[in-house]
Amino acid sequence: MEQGSAREGVRPAYAPGAFPRAPADGRMPECRVPEQARGEQAGVERAGGRPADGEQARGEHTHSEPPAPRVVQRHSVRGQILDALRAALVDGELVPGQVYSAPALGARFGVSATPVREAMQRLAVEGAVEVVPNRGFRVSERGPRELAELAEVRALIEVPVMMGLARTVPAHRWCGLRPLAEATVTAAAVGDRAAYAESDRAFHRAVLMLSGNEQLVAVADELHRRSQWPLVSGPATRRADLLADASEHTALLDALVSQDLAVVQALVREHFAGADR
């Protein structure tokens, strides 16, 4: 789950359904909505924001003509540069302790120094970089202790919420998160750390959003992002580590669909315990 983890060993990958107890016929529970719930859930949002069959998405074009091209505004460029810089941080392309100038990074991305400087200022607010007067921005150096502290705070926030949701959210709502869990597996399988970081946060956001507490979601997501920055030293996150974390997402959904609270609790604790290793 965490890009910055410095683990001594590889946690075992949990194949989807490895934890939940299987029915007598040996098959794992399927994401099927009970008959009585189907009518109630018609038109209800699904993960990814896709509308129910037969409904038109808001703003969707109903004719065959393509929409008029949009003019890229400066704030859009800044947003794209911010995303690129965050990906470079996760991938380790921006090395902790190194100083980077806005003009040099602008040349790298093919833009002026202004949107880079604005994006870097945002990263400075988040704590990812430090402003070095007349030189540029230094990538923050983080150690295992900071990573462990972030994992502890995240666990204090997310674990009670997840356990509460496990007791109240019906099985068919968890089924809507299956594509998000599978996206983490896809990114982990090819070792794409930046894509995994985004899909990992998307899955956790979707789970926490079921609580209806937007402030909690925002705080947890920011802590999650910070936990994904690389450590100042240590090996890069291995693909096996990513696969182990991703498999916990799918195993967790299997347990939630099966309403196996004991397994849910064990998986959630393991998921956050692995974040500080």
Side-chain angles (χ1 to χ4, degrees):
M1 177 173 61
E2 314 311 332
Q3 300 295 309
S5 303
R7 304 174 181 171
E8 298 179 357
V10 178
R11 289 155 53 202
Y14 299 109
F19 271 107
R21 293 189 292 270
D25 59 6
R27 296 180 298 176
M28 292 309 302
E30 298 180 0
C31 287
R32 293 184 177 178
V33 179
E35 201 66 42
Q36 65 271 20
R38 292 179 182 173
E40 300 173 0
Q41 292 298 317
V44 175
E45 71 281 3
R46 298 183 180 180
R50 295 190 299 274
D53 294 341
E55 294 187 359
Q56 179 180 335
R58 182 178 298 175
E60 182 180 354
H61 291 268
T62 57
H63 50 79
S64 58
E65 297 180 4
R70 296 180 179 179
V71 177
V72 178
Q73 302 295 330
R74 188 164 67 88
H75 67 82
S76 297
V77 175
R78 180 183 58 191
Q80 294 172 32
I81 296 300
L82 179 59
D83 290 341
L85 289 172
R86 282 172 170 165
L89 280 169
V90 172
D91 280 336
E93 295 177 16
L94 296 181
V95 182
Q98 293 291 327
V99 177
Y100 298 88
S101 70
L105 289 173
R108 173 180 175 179
F109 292 117
V111 298
S112 69
T114 299
V116 175
R117 190 173 291 109
E118 292 172 343
M120 279 295 198
Q121 291 288 354
R122 173 60 186 173
L123 291 176
V125 172
E126 296 177 358
V129 300
E130 304 167 2
V131 178
V132 181
N134 302 321
R135 293 185 60 192
F137 302 87
R138 178 185 291 111
V139 178
S140 299
E141 300 179 272
R142 304 168 58 246
R145 179 175 178 176
E146 182 179 347
L147 187 64
E149 290 174 349
L150 285 168
E152 181 180 2
V153 176
R154 288 190 60 212
L156 289 173
I157 294 175
E158 295 193 41
V159 172
V161 174
M162 287 187 182
M163 291 307 302
L165 293 173
R167 297 182 179 92
T168 58
V169 175
H172 62 270
R173 296 290 302 277
W174 296 117
C175 293
L177 305 189
R178 183 74 62 178
L180 296 177
E182 292 174 347
T184 67
V185 177
T186 300
V190 296
D192 189 335
R193 287 176 288 176
Y196 182 81
E198 290 296 327
S199 59
D200 183 26
R201 290 204 317 279
F203 175 78
H204 280 263
R205 278 198 306 270
V207 171
L208 296 177
M209 284 176 64
L210 293 176
S211 70
N213 190 328
E214 295 182 1
Q215 299 304 314
L216 181 145
V217 174
V219 171
D221 188 58
E222 180 61 24
L223 291 171
H224 196 166
R225 184 190 300 280
R226 290 175 57 189
S227 71
Q228 293 174 328
W229 301 333
L231 297 173
V232 66
S233 61
T237 306
R238 294 169 293 185
R239 184 168 64 175
D241 293 328
L242 297 182
L243 284 169
D245 287 329
S247 68
E248 290 174 357
H249 293 154
T250 54
L252 176 60
L253 281 184
D254 288 339
L256 289 166
V257 170
S258 301
Q259 296 182 330
D260 193 331
L261 297 183
V263 172
V264 170
Q265 185 175 30
L267 276 170
V268 170
R269 286 179 175 175
E270 170 64 17
H271 203 50
F272 282 97
D276 61 359
R277 292 204 294 265

